Amino acid sequence: MAEPTFIDGPLNWSKSSFPEDRSWVRSFDRTMISEIETASRRFLSENIDPKNVKKHTFELSNCEAVLREAYRDLEEGCGFTMMSGLPVDDWGVELSR
């Protein structure tokens, strides 16, 4: 299959496309962070492989709108998103993963 020679649409961006725009940043509030931490600690305590995370096994109802926006950024928007507010320094590598 030949490589495309030109990308058209919202995925065709450069650094100058985002001089002050932060619309691709998705922030979690305290309730969402608590929900993520609780679900993550359960997965760790049950030794579940993160590759096996599914919507029905990793319930994040409080985060649903933010995650949907992030998905839309990836699939229909600029092709990237940044998840902000997670306390990864406090959680450490294993829980943050």
Side-chain angles (χ1 to χ4, degrees), residues 49-92:
D49 188 328
K51 295 175 188 169
N52 295 324
V53 170
K54 305 287 186 246
K55 184 176 180 178
H56 67 277
T57 61
F58 201 80
E59 182 71 30
L60 297 175
S61 57
N62 292 310
C63 300
E64 189 171 346
V66 169
L67 296 174
R68 189 165 295 160
E69 290 171 0
Y71 181 80
R72 195 170 24 258
D73 291 340
L74 297 172
E75 293 297 321
E76 300 169 14
C78 60
F80 65 90
T81 192
M82 181 175 83
M83 311 308 279
S84 177
L86 295 172
V88 295
D89 289 335
D90 296 337
W91 285 355

Side-chain angles (χ1 to χ4, degrees), residues 11-51:
L11 293 179
N12 183 5
W13 54 266
S14 67
K15 180 180 177 184
S16 63
S17 301
F18 300 94
E20 299 297 322
D21 180 20
R22 307 262 306 153
S23 63
W24 41 270
V25 177
R26 304 292 167 214
S27 299
F28 295 107
D29 64 27
R30 287 186 177 145
T31 301
M32 294 173 191
I33 292 169
S34 178
E35 182 177 62
I36 293 167
E37 182 172 2
T38 298
S40 298
R41 289 193 185 283
R42 182 179 62 81
F43 257 63
L44 286 176
S45 71
E46 296 175 10
N47 292 319
I48 299 171
D49 188 328
K51 295 175 188 169

